[in-house]
Amino acid sequence: MAFREVFRMKKHFDYSALIGESNPLLRYPELLDAAIDEFSAKSCEDASLNEILKKSGMSKGSLYHHFGDKFGLYVAMMDIIVQKKLSYFYPLLSEELDTDDFFGILKRVMKATLEFVLADERMHHLSVRVMEESAEFRKRAFEFFVPDYFQALRAYIRYVMESGQIDTRYPPELVAKFIEIVLANLDKLVTDPEPDKRLETANQVLDIIQHGIAGK
Amino acid sequence: MAFREVFRMKKHFDYSALIGESNPLLRYPELLDAAIDEFSAKSCEDASLNEILKKSGMSKGSLYHHFGDKFGLYVAMMDIIVQKKLSYFYPLLSEELDTDDFFGILKRVMKATLEFVLADERMHHLSVRVMEESAEFRKRAFEFFVPDYFQALRAYIRYVMESGQIDTRYPPELVAKFIEIVLANLDKLVTDPEPDKRLETANQVLDIIQHGIAGK
DNA sequence: AGTGGTCTAGACCATGCGGTCTAGACCTAA
DNA sequence: TTAGGTCTAGACCGCATGGTCTAGACCACT
């Protein structure tokens, strides 16, 4: 029995076991839901573990056994959210899209983002909020499943600008940030209760990005 | 001496004494600065009073005497921030602006917002974050110094649309929200260290809103 | 000098936090 | 059956929180 403590002397929990197929959170749907609820309502630091445990019915012992600490639970949850978000963008890759048709692609990206937002607004908020956490925190959290959307977007925009589809007097970084911001706030722009109207509004947002709001 | 307790039985603190010229926070600049620091870094709920006290050197007794509770301090601070923000927009009213020149006015609004952002980014974040707090919280907090920017912006845009300056196929609410979002995220768009470049970038942002990013 | 009232300092309180620890249920292999 | 190992439940710990309370400094007035 006394050996127990020796074996417990792992001390350094292996966070990398939390991501991918072995993610233990996949086996506890109520815990996942409670975590998304709590972490999307408050920042990672301020979210209450006890609240999550109460909501999900899991015991503290189990949680610490599987996830090591609060941060482990957060990482496991973000892993699932990132996978979920990516699942909305994978179909895009298999479609036959002309990579030189920037606004055509942006339209599909907008639609995929919209669908992700509508599927679970809490996840959308989490995926957006992560980017506003401190750089130090992001580095620690993304050590495991780095999803560098934005780097890719910027590179692509820089490439597209050469084709003349985007006004060259704007710095590519500015254009990229502008688009990021609009996508990150899509939930505030598209609020119509009718599903049909939503895509229409999203496309109007795209039109604004493309042509501006000025009248003829 | 025992009467002391009776007199203390106010219990209901008069928050309305916290706003305007009698705002006690005006007499404690270090406290104001510490409060802005803490409240801008965390949400109102999660900000630490003890941290604010430590930073500012004020004692707990004094703080509760003057502000009633944590919320009182928050209200007093927001009052000062709102006044500060408004001070950047008052000059706009005295300028001779053609109210029918929407984009001319938007340019001035953009410039004033930029100046406010640059003057104190923490204040900018606070003034933006307030709008994302729960409706219940906002109602309680704004009972005292209601600054309904956005209602006004929407009404103005609806008015301007009739003049044909804005493409009428967009719903006025969408246009208003779009502009709100861009202004709220101006700090992310304008990051150039050179002051001269900043206004230039801000004007480019305005151009994007007006004409879009598409090339000729 | 004495009094009523305001303001300050900080000890103190209950509560809730993240995290640890242990007793024991449960499973599997010998 | 038994021993090793995994997992669960929840009591418990130290700590930080927002808020209360009191002793007394200070001030203005009589």
Side-chain angles (χ1 to χ4, degrees):
Chain A
M1 271 306 174
F3 278 16
R4 186 77 57 82
E5 289 177 17
V6 177
F7 286 115
R8 291 293 198 88
M9 275 295 183
K10 291 182 163 189
K11 210 59 182 168
H12 296 316
F13 190 86
D14 181 15
Y15 291 113
S16 66
L18 294 174
I19 65 163
E21 291 177 10
S22 65
N23 189 330
L25 206 42
L26 291 167
R27 284 178 282 136
Y28 302 99
E30 290 116 358
L31 182 61
L32 172 62
D33 194 69
I36 292 176
D37 242 38
E38 183 71 10
F39 281 118
S40 68
K42 310 186 183 176
S43 77
C44 175
E45 182 183 325
D46 300 320
S48 163
L49 257 193
N50 292 336
E51 192 61 31
I52 293 172
L53 293 172
K54 204 165 66 188
K55 270 188 210 162
S56 65
M58 176 167 272
S59 76
K60 211 165 230 187
S62 307
L63 187 132
Y64 277 86
H65 176 76
H66 290 296
F67 301 96
D69 59 9
K70 188 187 188 182
F71 183 74
L73 177 62
Y74 182 82
V75 166
M77 179 197 67
M78 283 309 296
D79 176 56
I80 289 177
I81 289 179
V82 167
Q83 292 308 320
K84 183 80 179 172
K85 180 156 187 174
L86 284 178
S87 77
Y88 282 83
F89 289 87
Y90 280 139
L92 234 144
L93 300 175
S94 59
E95 286 175 31
E96 282 166 23
L97 289 169
D98 180 2
T99 56
D100 287 329
D101 174 18
F102 177 70
F103 290 104
I105 287 185
L106 192 53
K107 185 171 180 172
R108 281 295 288 115
V109 168
M110 181 79 82
K111 193 178 166 213
T113 306
L114 178 64
E115 280 162 3
F116 178 64
V117 170
L118 296 177
D120 194 330
E121 205 155 323
R122 301 169 308 168
M123 288 198 199
H124 169 71
H125 285 139
L126 272 164
S127 73
V128 166
R129 182 123 45 78
V130 173
M131 305 311 288
E132 290 170 359
E133 295 273 4
S134 74
E136 181 190 2
F137 180 87
R138 281 213 313 279
K139 193 179 169 188
R140 194 178 158 210
F142 289 171
E143 194 179 334
F144 304 108
F145 51 89
V146 195
D148 210 337
Y149 307 116
F150 298 144
Q151 203 75 9
L153 178 62
R154 271 166 222 214
Y156 178 53
I157 286 179
R158 204 170 286 115
Y159 160 76
V160 167
M161 287 197 105
E162 289 167 17
S163 70
Q165 294 175 77
I166 298 175
D167 196 322
T168 50
R169 79 194 138 139
Y170 303 128
E173 288 75 16
L174 182 64
V175 174
K177 273 187 253 170
F178 192 90
I179 291 173
E180 283 164 28
I181 287 168
V182 173
L183 288 176
N185 290 275
L186 201 57
D187 59 309
K188 290 175 201 142
L189 290 167
V190 180
T191 55
D192 203 297
E194 286 179 55
D196 298 343
K197 288 270 187 178
R198 287 183 201 138
L199 187 55
E200 192 188 319
T201 305
N203 285 332
Q204 285 182 325
V205 171
L206 187 63
D207 276 346
I208 293 179
I209 292 176
Q210 191 167 4
H211 300 117
I213 61 171
K216 309 296 152 74
Chain B
M1 268 310 174
F3 278 16
R4 187 76 58 83
E5 288 176 18
V6 178
F7 286 116
R8 291 292 197 92
M9 276 294 182
K10 289 182 165 191
K11 210 59 181 169
H12 295 318
F13 189 87
D14 180 16
Y15 291 112
S16 66
L18 294 174
I19 65 164
E21 291 179 9
S22 64
N23 189 332
L25 205 43
L26 292 167
R27 283 178 284 135
Y28 302 99
E30 290 115 358
L31 181 63
L32 172 62
D33 194 69
I36 291 176
D37 243 37
E38 183 71 10
F39 282 119
S40 68
K42 309 185 183 176
S43 77
C44 175
E45 181 183 325
D46 300 319
S48 163
L49 256 192
N50 291 337
E51 192 62 29
I52 293 172
L53 293 172
K54 205 164 64 186
K55 269 187 210 162
S56 65
M58 175 168 272
S59 78
K60 211 164 231 190
S62 307
L63 188 133
Y64 277 86
H65 176 77
H66 290 296
F67 302 95
D69 59 10
K70 188 187 188 182
F71 183 74
L73 177 62
Y74 182 83
V75 167
M77 179 196 68
M78 283 309 297
D79 175 57
I80 290 178
I81 289 179
V82 167
Q83 291 309 320
K84 184 81 179 172
K85 180 156 187 175
L86 285 178
S87 76
Y88 282 82
F89 289 87
Y90 280 139
L92 236 145
L93 299 176
S94 59
E95 287 175 28
E96 283 168 22
L97 289 171
D98 180 0
T99 56
D100 287 329
D101 173 18
F102 176 71
F103 291 104
I105 287 184
L106 192 53
K107 185 170 181 173
R108 280 296 288 113
V109 168
M110 180 80 80
K111 193 179 167 210
T113 307
L114 179 66
E115 281 162 3
F116 179 63
V117 170
L118 296 178
D120 194 330
E121 207 155 321
R122 302 170 306 169
M123 287 197 197
H124 170 70
H125 285 140
L126 272 163
S127 73
V128 166
R129 182 124 46 77
V130 172
M131 303 313 287
E132 290 170 359
E133 295 273 5
S134 73
E136 180 191 3
F137 180 87
R138 282 215 310 281
K139 193 180 168 188
R140 194 177 160 212
F142 288 172
E143 193 178 335
F144 305 108
F145 51 87
V146 194
D148 210 336
Y149 307 116
F150 298 143
Q151 203 75 7
L153 177 62
R154 272 167 219 212
Y156 178 53
I157 285 179
R158 205 170 287 117
Y159 161 76
V160 167
M161 287 196 107
E162 288 168 19
S163 70
Q165 293 175 79
I166 298 175
D167 196 322
T168 49
R169 77 193 140 141
Y170 303 129
E173 287 78 13
L174 182 64
V175 174
K177 273 187 253 170
F178 192 91
I179 293 173
E180 283 163 26
I181 287 169
V182 173
L183 288 176
N185 289 277
L186 202 58
D187 59 312
K188 291 174 200 143
L189 291 168
V190 181
T191 55
D192 204 295
E194 285 178 57
D196 297 344
K197 288 270 185 177
R198 286 183 203 139
L199 187 54
E200 194 187 318
T201 304
N203 285 330
Q204 285 181 326
V205 171
L206 187 62
D207 276 346
I208 293 178
I209 293 176
Q210 191 168 3
H211 299 118
I213 62 170
K216 310 294 152 80

